[in-house]
PDB file of all heavy atoms in Angstrom:
ATOM      1  N   GLN A   1     -35.569  -7.258  58.560  1.00  0.00           N
ATOM      2  CA  GLN A   1     -36.764  -7.508  59.361  1.00  0.00           C
ATOM      3  C   GLN A   1     -36.395  -7.679  60.834  1.00  0.00           C
ATOM      4  O   GLN A   1     -37.072  -7.153  61.730  1.00  0.00           O
ATOM      5  CB  GLN A   1     -37.476  -8.771  58.865  1.00  0.00           C
ATOM      6  CG  GLN A   1     -38.213  -8.572  57.561  1.00  0.00           C
ATOM      7  CD  GLN A   1     -38.915  -9.829  57.088  1.00  0.00           C
ATOM      8  OE1 GLN A   1     -39.677  -9.790  56.134  1.00  0.00           O
ATOM      9  NE2 GLN A   1     -38.670 -10.959  57.733  1.00  0.00           N
ATOM     10  N   LYS A   2     -35.313  -8.412  61.088  1.00  0.00           N
ATOM     11  CA  LYS A   2     -34.876  -8.616  62.463  1.00  0.00           C
ATOM     12  C   LYS A   2     -34.478  -7.286  63.101  1.00  0.00           C
ATOM     13  O   LYS A   2     -34.831  -6.995  64.254  1.00  0.00           O
ATOM     14  CB  LYS A   2     -33.704  -9.592  62.490  1.00  0.00           C
ATOM     15  CG  LYS A   2     -33.212  -9.928  63.890  1.00  0.00           C
ATOM     16  CD  LYS A   2     -32.006 -10.845  63.844  1.00  0.00           C
ATOM     17  CE  LYS A   2     -31.497 -11.123  65.259  1.00  0.00           C
ATOM     18  NZ  LYS A   2     -30.246 -11.911  65.243  1.00  0.00           N
ATOM     19  N   ASP A   3     -33.751  -6.446  62.356  1.00  0.00           N
ATOM     20  CA  ASP A   3     -33.366  -5.130  62.869  1.00  0.00           C
ATOM     21  C   ASP A   3     -34.595  -4.288  63.185  1.00  0.00           C
ATOM     22  O   ASP A   3     -34.627  -3.571  64.201  1.00  0.00           O
ATOM     23  CB  ASP A   3     -32.484  -4.399  61.852  1.00  0.00           C
ATOM     24  CG  ASP A   3     -31.058  -4.916  61.834  1.00  0.00           C
ATOM     25  OD1 ASP A   3     -30.710  -5.716  62.724  1.00  0.00           O
ATOM     26  OD2 ASP A   3     -30.299  -4.537  60.932  1.00  0.00           O
ATOM     27  N   ALA A   4     -35.609  -4.352  62.324  1.00  0.00           N
ATOM     28  CA  ALA A   4     -36.822  -3.568  62.553  1.00  0.00           C
ATOM     29  C   ALA A   4     -37.527  -4.009  63.836  1.00  0.00           C
ATOM     30  O   ALA A   4     -37.980  -3.178  64.630  1.00  0.00           O
ATOM     31  CB  ALA A   4     -37.766  -3.689  61.362  1.00  0.00           C
ATOM     32  N   LEU A   5     -37.615  -5.315  64.038  1.00  0.00           N
ATOM     33  CA  LEU A   5     -38.273  -5.821  65.241  1.00  0.00           C
ATOM     34  C   LEU A   5     -37.519  -5.425  66.502  1.00  0.00           C
ATOM     35  O   LEU A   5     -38.120  -5.054  67.514  1.00  0.00           O
ATOM     36  CB  LEU A   5     -38.394  -7.344  65.171  1.00  0.00           C
ATOM     37  CG  LEU A   5     -39.402  -7.892  64.165  1.00  0.00           C
ATOM     38  CD1 LEU A   5     -39.253  -9.401  64.038  1.00  0.00           C
ATOM     39  CD2 LEU A   5     -40.823  -7.537  64.574  1.00  0.00           C
ATOM     40  N   GLU A   6     -36.181  -5.490  66.444  1.00  0.00           N
ATOM     41  CA  GLU A   6     -35.388  -5.227  67.637  1.00  0.00           C
ATOM     42  C   GLU A   6     -35.179  -3.733  67.886  1.00  0.00           C
ATOM     43  O   GLU A   6     -35.301  -3.264  69.028  1.00  0.00           O
ATOM     44  CB  GLU A   6     -34.034  -5.921  67.516  1.00  0.00           C
ATOM     45  CG  GLU A   6     -34.147  -7.442  67.536  1.00  0.00           C
ATOM     46  CD  GLU A   6     -32.806  -8.123  67.381  1.00  0.00           C
ATOM     47  OE1 GLU A   6     -31.815  -7.414  67.090  1.00  0.00           O
ATOM     48  OE2 GLU A   6     -32.745  -9.353  67.554  1.00  0.00           O
ATOM     49  N   ARG A   7     -34.882  -2.971  66.832  1.00  0.00           N
ATOM     50  CA  ARG A   7     -34.558  -1.550  66.999  1.00  0.00           C
ATOM     51  C   ARG A   7     -35.790  -0.696  67.225  1.00  0.00           C
ATOM     52  O   ARG A   7     -35.772   0.240  68.030  1.00  0.00           O
ATOM     53  CB  ARG A   7     -33.824  -1.022  65.761  1.00  0.00           C
ATOM     54  CG  ARG A   7     -32.429  -1.581  65.548  1.00  0.00           C
ATOM     55  CD  ARG A   7     -31.931  -1.241  64.150  1.00  0.00           C
ATOM     56  NE  ARG A   7     -30.558  -1.661  63.955  1.00  0.00           N
ATOM     57  CZ  ARG A   7     -29.530  -0.824  63.801  1.00  0.00           C
ATOM     58  NH1 ARG A   7     -29.732   0.475  63.817  1.00  0.00           N
ATOM     59  NH2 ARG A   7     -28.315  -1.277  63.618  1.00  0.00           N
ATOM     60  N   LEU A   8     -36.855  -1.002  66.498  1.00  0.00           N
ATOM     61  CA  LEU A   8     -38.026  -0.122  66.508  1.00  0.00           C
ATOM     62  C   LEU A   8     -39.168  -0.659  67.343  1.00  0.00           C
ATOM     63  O   LEU A   8     -40.233  -0.060  67.402  1.00  0.00           O
ATOM     64  CB  LEU A   8     -38.508   0.106  65.061  1.00  0.00           C
ATOM     65  CG  LEU A   8     -37.423   0.607  64.096  1.00  0.00           C
ATOM     66  CD1 LEU A   8     -38.014   0.834  62.722  1.00  0.00           C
ATOM     67  CD2 LEU A   8     -36.804   1.893  64.622  1.00  0.00           C
ATOM     68  N   LYS A   9     -38.948  -1.820  67.967  1.00  0.00           N
ATOM     69  CA  LYS A   9     -39.952  -2.417  68.847  1.00  0.00           C
ATOM     70  C   LYS A   9     -41.304  -2.507  68.132  1.00  0.00           C
ATOM     71  O   LYS A   9     -42.329  -2.038  68.618  1.00  0.00           O
ATOM     72  CB  LYS A   9     -40.067  -1.617  70.143  1.00  0.00           C
ATOM     73  CG  LYS A   9     -38.737  -1.501  70.891  1.00  0.00           C
ATOM     74  CD  LYS A   9     -38.902  -0.871  72.240  1.00  0.00           C
ATOM     75  CE  LYS A   9     -37.535  -0.663  72.912  1.00  0.00           C
ATOM     76  NZ  LYS A   9     -36.755  -1.874  73.045  1.00  0.00           N
ATOM     77  N   LEU A  10     -41.284  -3.128  66.970  1.00  0.00           N
ATOM     78  CA  LEU A  10     -42.503  -3.255  66.165  1.00  0.00           C
ATOM     79  C   LEU A  10     -43.233  -4.581  66.424  1.00  0.00           C
ATOM     80  O   LEU A  10     -44.087  -4.988  65.641  1.00  0.00           O
ATOM     81  CB  LEU A  10     -42.153  -3.165  64.674  1.00  0.00           C
ATOM     82  CG  LEU A  10     -41.499  -1.868  64.212  1.00  0.00           C
ATOM     83  CD1 LEU A  10     -41.200  -1.938  62.727  1.00  0.00           C
ATOM     84  CD2 LEU A  10     -42.389  -0.676  64.517  1.00  0.00           C
ATOM     85  N   ARG A  11     -42.928  -5.242  67.520  1.00  0.00           N
ATOM     86  CA  ARG A  11     -43.521  -6.551  67.762  1.00  0.00           C
ATOM     87  C   ARG A  11     -45.043  -6.499  67.825  1.00  0.00           C
ATOM     88  O   ARG A  11     -45.726  -7.441  67.429  1.00  0.00           O
ATOM     89  CB  ARG A  11     -42.964  -7.149  69.054  1.00  0.00           C
ATOM     90  CG  ARG A  11     -41.492  -7.492  68.961  1.00  0.00           C
ATOM     91  CD  ARG A  11     -40.968  -8.034  70.285  1.00  0.00           C
ATOM     92  NE  ARG A  11     -39.531  -8.280  70.185  1.00  0.00           N
ATOM     93  CZ  ARG A  11     -39.003  -9.427  69.808  1.00  0.00           C
ATOM     94  NH1 ARG A  11     -39.777 -10.432  69.477  1.00  0.00           N
ATOM     95  NH2 ARG A  11     -37.693  -9.577  69.753  1.00  0.00           N
ATOM     96  N   ASP A  12     -45.588  -5.386  68.334  1.00  0.00           N
ATOM     97  CA  ASP A  12     -47.047  -5.288  68.418  1.00  0.00           C
ATOM     98  C   ASP A  12     -47.698  -5.413  67.050  1.00  0.00           C
ATOM     99  O   ASP A  12     -48.852  -5.829  66.936  1.00  0.00           O
ATOM    100  CB  ASP A  12     -47.461  -3.960  69.059  1.00  0.00           C
ATOM    101  CG  ASP A  12     -47.126  -3.929  70.551  1.00  0.00           C
ATOM    102  OD1 ASP A  12     -46.798  -5.007  71.090  1.00  0.00           O
ATOM    103  OD2 ASP A  12     -47.208  -2.852  71.161  1.00  0.00           O
ATOM    104  N   MET A  13     -46.972  -5.029  66.026  1.00  0.00           N
ATOM    105  CA  MET A  13     -47.556  -5.094  64.686  1.00  0.00           C
ATOM    106  C   MET A  13     -47.745  -6.532  64.212  1.00  0.00           C
ATOM    107  O   MET A  13     -48.531  -6.788  63.310  1.00  0.00           O
ATOM    108  CB  MET A  13     -46.677  -4.326  63.702  1.00  0.00           C
ATOM    109  CG  MET A  13     -46.660  -2.843  63.983  1.00  0.00           C
ATOM    110  SD  MET A  13     -45.801  -1.920  62.699  1.00  0.00           S
ATOM    111  CE  MET A  13     -45.939  -0.269  63.400  1.00  0.00           C
ATOM    112  N   LEU A  14     -47.030  -7.453  64.848  1.00  0.00           N
ATOM    113  CA  LEU A  14     -47.213  -8.858  64.482  1.00  0.00           C
ATOM    114  C   LEU A  14     -48.577  -9.372  64.912  1.00  0.00           C
ATOM    115  O   LEU A  14     -48.974 -10.474  64.548  1.00  0.00           O
ATOM    116  CB  LEU A  14     -46.110  -9.713  65.111  1.00  0.00           C
ATOM    117  CG  LEU A  14     -44.691  -9.422  64.634  1.00  0.00           C
ATOM    118  CD1 LEU A  14     -43.706 -10.334  65.343  1.00  0.00           C
ATOM    119  CD2 LEU A  14     -44.569  -9.599  63.128  1.00  0.00           C
ATOM    120  N   PHE A  15     -49.292  -8.589  65.704  1.00  0.00           N
ATOM    121  CA  PHE A  15     -50.632  -8.988  66.121  1.00  0.00           C
ATOM    122  C   PHE A  15     -51.658  -8.772  65.013  1.00  0.00           C
ATOM    123  O   PHE A  15     -52.818  -9.152  65.156  1.00  0.00           O
ATOM    124  CB  PHE A  15     -51.064  -8.197  67.347  1.00  0.00           C
ATOM    125  CG  PHE A  15     -50.259  -8.510  68.585  1.00  0.00           C
ATOM    126  CD1 PHE A  15     -50.351  -7.697  69.696  1.00  0.00           C
ATOM    127  CD2 PHE A  15     -49.418  -9.614  68.639  1.00  0.00           C
ATOM    128  CE1 PHE A  15     -49.631  -7.974  70.849  1.00  0.00           C
ATOM    129  CE2 PHE A  15     -48.694  -9.897  69.778  1.00  0.00           C
ATOM    130  CZ  PHE A  15     -48.802  -9.075  70.885  1.00  0.00           C
ATOM    131  N   GLN A  16     -51.227  -8.153  63.905  1.00  0.00           N
ATOM    132  CA  GLN A  16     -52.159  -7.854  62.825  1.00  0.00           C
ATOM    133  C   GLN A  16     -51.949  -8.841  61.681  1.00  0.00           C
ATOM    134  O   GLN A  16     -50.849  -8.951  61.148  1.00  0.00           O
ATOM    135  CB  GLN A  16     -51.931  -6.426  62.334  1.00  0.00           C
ATOM    136  CG  GLN A  16     -52.060  -5.382  63.447  1.00  0.00           C
ATOM    137  CD  GLN A  16     -51.612  -4.009  63.010  1.00  0.00           C
ATOM    138  OE1 GLN A  16     -51.913  -3.593  61.892  1.00  0.00           O
ATOM    139  NE2 GLN A  16     -50.893  -3.309  63.870  1.00  0.00           N
ATOM    140  N   PRO A  17     -52.990  -9.579  61.285  1.00  0.00           N
ATOM    141  CA  PRO A  17     -52.841 -10.599  60.236  1.00  0.00           C
ATOM    142  C   PRO A  17     -52.232 -10.058  58.953  1.00  0.00           C
ATOM    143  O   PRO A  17     -51.394 -10.698  58.326  1.00  0.00           O
ATOM    144  CB  PRO A  17     -54.279 -11.083  60.012  1.00  0.00           C
ATOM    145  CG  PRO A  17     -54.982 -10.798  61.292  1.00  0.00           C
ATOM    146  CD  PRO A  17     -54.355  -9.540  61.827  1.00  0.00           C
ATOM    147  N   GLU A  18     -52.640  -8.830  58.550  1.00  0.00           N
ATOM    148  CA  GLU A  18     -52.130  -8.287  57.299  1.00  0.00           C
ATOM    149  C   GLU A  18     -50.633  -8.011  57.372  1.00  0.00           C
ATOM    150  O   GLU A  18     -49.918  -8.099  56.380  1.00  0.00           O
ATOM    151  CB  GLU A  18     -52.876  -7.011  56.906  1.00  0.00           C
ATOM    152  CG  GLU A  18     -52.776  -5.860  57.892  1.00  0.00           C
ATOM    153  CD  GLU A  18     -53.818  -5.926  58.995  1.00  0.00           C
ATOM    154  OE1 GLU A  18     -54.432  -7.011  59.162  1.00  0.00           O
ATOM    155  OE2 GLU A  18     -54.015  -4.915  59.683  1.00  0.00           O
ATOM    156  N   MET A  19     -50.134  -7.699  58.579  1.00  0.00           N
ATOM    157  CA  MET A  19     -48.707  -7.482  58.729  1.00  0.00           C
ATOM    158  C   MET A  19     -47.954  -8.810  58.623  1.00  0.00           C
ATOM    159  O   MET A  19     -46.914  -8.897  57.968  1.00  0.00           O
ATOM    160  CB  MET A  19     -48.414  -6.840  60.089  1.00  0.00           C
ATOM    161  CG  MET A  19     -48.887  -5.399  60.182  1.00  0.00           C
ATOM    162  SD  MET A  19     -48.005  -4.343  59.010  1.00  0.00           S
ATOM    163  CE  MET A  19     -46.358  -4.514  59.606  1.00  0.00           C
ATOM    164  N   LEU A  20     -48.466  -9.842  59.246  1.00  0.00           N
ATOM    165  CA  LEU A  20     -47.823 -11.145  59.167  1.00  0.00           C
ATOM    166  C   LEU A  20     -47.757 -11.648  57.734  1.00  0.00           C
ATOM    167  O   LEU A  20     -46.785 -12.284  57.332  1.00  0.00           O
ATOM    168  CB  LEU A  20     -48.585 -12.156  60.031  1.00  0.00           C
ATOM    169  CG  LEU A  20     -48.209 -12.201  61.504  1.00  0.00           C
ATOM    170  CD1 LEU A  20     -49.040 -13.264  62.211  1.00  0.00           C
ATOM    171  CD2 LEU A  20     -46.741 -12.477  61.689  1.00  0.00           C
ATOM    172  N   GLU A  21     -48.795 -11.374  56.967  1.00  0.00           N
ATOM    173  CA  GLU A  21     -48.810 -11.827  55.577  1.00  0.00           C
ATOM    174  C   GLU A  21     -47.770 -11.092  54.744  1.00  0.00           C
ATOM    175  O   GLU A  21     -47.295 -11.599  53.726  1.00  0.00           O
ATOM    176  CB  GLU A  21     -50.201 -11.621  54.986  1.00  0.00           C
ATOM    177  CG  GLU A  21     -51.249 -12.556  55.611  1.00  0.00           C
ATOM    178  CD  GLU A  21     -52.668 -12.173  55.246  1.00  0.00           C
ATOM    179  OE1 GLU A  21     -52.827 -11.161  54.521  1.00  0.00           O
ATOM    180  OE2 GLU A  21     -53.602 -12.853  55.674  1.00  0.00           O
ATOM    181  N   ALA A  22     -47.388  -9.873  55.169  1.00  0.00           N
ATOM    182  CA  ALA A  22     -46.415  -9.075  54.411  1.00  0.00           C
ATOM    183  C   ALA A  22     -44.976  -9.429  54.747  1.00  0.00           C
ATOM    184  O   ALA A  22     -44.067  -9.207  53.957  1.00  0.00           O
ATOM    185  CB  ALA A  22     -46.646  -7.583  54.667  1.00  0.00           C
ATOM    186  N   VAL A  23     -44.754  -9.983  55.935  1.00  0.00           N
ATOM    187  CA  VAL A  23     -43.395 -10.294  56.384  1.00  0.00           C
ATOM    188  C   VAL A  23     -42.894 -11.557  55.705  1.00  0.00           C
ATOM    189  O   VAL A  23     -43.654 -12.495  55.472  1.00  0.00           O
ATOM    190  CB  VAL A  23     -43.384 -10.477  57.914  1.00  0.00           C
ATOM    191  CG1 VAL A  23     -42.038 -10.987  58.396  1.00  0.00           C
ATOM    192  CG2 VAL A  23     -43.709  -9.160  58.594  1.00  0.00           C
ATOM    193  N   GLN A  24     -41.601 -11.579  55.374  1.00  0.00           N
ATOM    194  CA  GLN A  24     -40.990 -12.801  54.840  1.00  0.00           C
ATOM    195  C   GLN A  24     -40.660 -13.729  55.998  1.00  0.00           C
ATOM    196  O   GLN A  24     -39.874 -13.386  56.875  1.00  0.00           O
ATOM    197  CB  GLN A  24     -39.722 -12.478  54.057  1.00  0.00           C
ATOM    198  CG  GLN A  24     -39.011 -13.726  53.529  1.00  0.00           C
ATOM    199  CD  GLN A  24     -37.959 -13.372  52.506  1.00  0.00           C
ATOM    200  OE1 GLN A  24     -38.224 -12.669  51.544  1.00  0.00           O
ATOM    201  NE2 GLN A  24     -36.746 -13.863  52.725  1.00  0.00           N
ATOM    202  N   PRO A  25     -41.249 -14.926  56.031  1.00  0.00           N
ATOM    203  CA  PRO A  25     -41.037 -15.822  57.175  1.00  0.00           C
ATOM    204  C   PRO A  25     -39.577 -16.268  57.295  1.00  0.00           C
ATOM    205  O   PRO A  25     -38.940 -16.577  56.301  1.00  0.00           O
ATOM    206  CB  PRO A  25     -41.958 -17.018  56.866  1.00  0.00           C
ATOM    207  CG  PRO A  25     -42.941 -16.509  55.865  1.00  0.00           C
ATOM    208  CD  PRO A  25     -42.199 -15.481  55.060  1.00  0.00           C
ATOM    209  N   ASP A  26     -39.071 -16.304  58.516  1.00  0.00           N
ATOM    210  CA  ASP A  26     -37.744 -16.844  58.779  1.00  0.00           C
ATOM    211  C   ASP A  26     -37.669 -17.278  60.238  1.00  0.00           C
ATOM    212  O   ASP A  26     -38.635 -17.145  60.993  1.00  0.00           O
ATOM    213  CB  ASP A  26     -36.640 -15.843  58.432  1.00  0.00           C
ATOM    214  CG  ASP A  26     -36.628 -14.620  59.341  1.00  0.00           C
ATOM    215  OD1 ASP A  26     -37.546 -14.492  60.175  1.00  0.00           O
ATOM    216  OD2 ASP A  26     -35.708 -13.800  59.228  1.00  0.00           O
ATOM    217  N   VAL A  27     -36.525 -17.818  60.634  1.00  0.00           N
ATOM    218  CA  VAL A  27     -36.373 -18.355  61.977  1.00  0.00           C
ATOM    219  C   VAL A  27     -36.604 -17.279  63.029  1.00  0.00           C
ATOM    220  O   VAL A  27     -37.222 -17.530  64.069  1.00  0.00           O
ATOM    221  CB  VAL A  27     -34.972 -18.983  62.138  1.00  0.00           C
ATOM    222  CG1 VAL A  27     -34.695 -19.318  63.597  1.00  0.00           C
ATOM    223  CG2 VAL A  27     -34.848 -20.232  61.285  1.00  0.00           C
ATOM    224  N   HIS A  28     -36.098 -16.066  62.798  1.00  0.00           N
ATOM    225  CA  HIS A  28     -36.231 -15.004  63.787  1.00  0.00           C
ATOM    226  C   HIS A  28     -37.688 -14.585  63.949  1.00  0.00           C
ATOM    227  O   HIS A  28     -38.131 -14.284  65.063  1.00  0.00           O
ATOM    228  CB  HIS A  28     -35.376 -13.807  63.385  1.00  0.00           C
ATOM    229  CG  HIS A  28     -33.923 -14.135  63.260  1.00  0.00           C
ATOM    230  ND1 HIS A  28     -33.161 -14.523  64.332  1.00  0.00           N
ATOM    231  CD2 HIS A  28     -33.096 -14.175  62.178  1.00  0.00           C
ATOM    232  CE1 HIS A  28     -31.928 -14.765  63.935  1.00  0.00           C
ATOM    233  NE2 HIS A  28     -31.866 -14.566  62.636  1.00  0.00           N
ATOM    234  N   LEU A  29     -38.444 -14.576  62.865  1.00  0.00           N
ATOM    235  CA  LEU A  29     -39.856 -14.255  62.958  1.00  0.00           C
ATOM    236  C   LEU A  29     -40.587 -15.332  63.764  1.00  0.00           C
ATOM    237  O   LEU A  29     -41.433 -15.031  64.613  1.00  0.00           O
ATOM    238  CB  LEU A  29     -40.470 -14.130  61.565  1.00  0.00           C
ATOM    239  CG  LEU A  29     -41.979 -13.863  61.528  1.00  0.00           C
ATOM    240  CD1 LEU A  29     -42.323 -12.559  62.222  1.00  0.00           C
ATOM    241  CD2 LEU A  29     -42.478 -13.845  60.091  1.00  0.00           C
ATOM    242  N   VAL A  30     -40.255 -16.588  63.502  1.00  0.00           N
ATOM    243  CA  VAL A  30     -40.863 -17.684  64.266  1.00  0.00           C
ATOM    244  C   VAL A  30     -40.552 -17.522  65.749  1.00  0.00           C
ATOM    245  O   VAL A  30     -41.436 -17.677  66.604  1.00  0.00           O
ATOM    246  CB  VAL A  30     -40.364 -19.052  63.755  1.00  0.00           C
ATOM    247  CG1 VAL A  30     -40.756 -20.172  64.709  1.00  0.00           C
ATOM    248  CG2 VAL A  30     -40.919 -19.325  62.371  1.00  0.00           C
ATOM    249  N   ALA A  31     -39.305 -17.182  66.070  1.00  0.00           N
ATOM    250  CA  ALA A  31     -38.931 -16.989  67.469  1.00  0.00           C
ATOM    251  C   ALA A  31     -39.752 -15.866  68.103  1.00  0.00           C
ATOM    252  O   ALA A  31     -40.193 -15.977  69.250  1.00  0.00           O
ATOM    253  CB  ALA A  31     -37.437 -16.677  67.566  1.00  0.00           C
ATOM    254  N   SER A  32     -39.966 -14.786  67.358  1.00  0.00           N
ATOM    255  CA  SER A  32     -40.775 -13.673  67.877  1.00  0.00           C
ATOM    256  C   SER A  32     -42.205 -14.122  68.130  1.00  0.00           C
ATOM    257  O   SER A  32     -42.812 -13.792  69.163  1.00  0.00           O
ATOM    258  CB  SER A  32     -40.763 -12.496  66.889  1.00  0.00           C
ATOM    259  OG  SER A  32     -39.467 -11.955  66.753  1.00  0.00           O
TER     260      SER A  32
END
């Protein structure tokens, strides 16, 4: 998940509730 956020610049997708519900929560996600 961290690689996807950093390599593919998918941070905008975190603006979608359904995407957040699919992600496994961790420290790096909280930081994002």
Side-chain angles (χ1 to χ4, degrees):
Q1 286 180 172
K2 183 183 178 185
D3 283 351
L5 289 171
E6 293 179 351
R7 292 167 175 248
L8 307 182
K9 303 187 185 303
L10 299 179
R11 293 178 183 269
D12 289 348
M13 294 187 182
L14 296 180
F15 293 167
Q16 303 170 41
E18 61 274 15
M19 290 296 298
L20 275 181
E21 292 168 359
V23 172
Q24 177 167 308
D26 67 354
V27 170
H28 301 295
L29 177 61
V30 168
S32 296

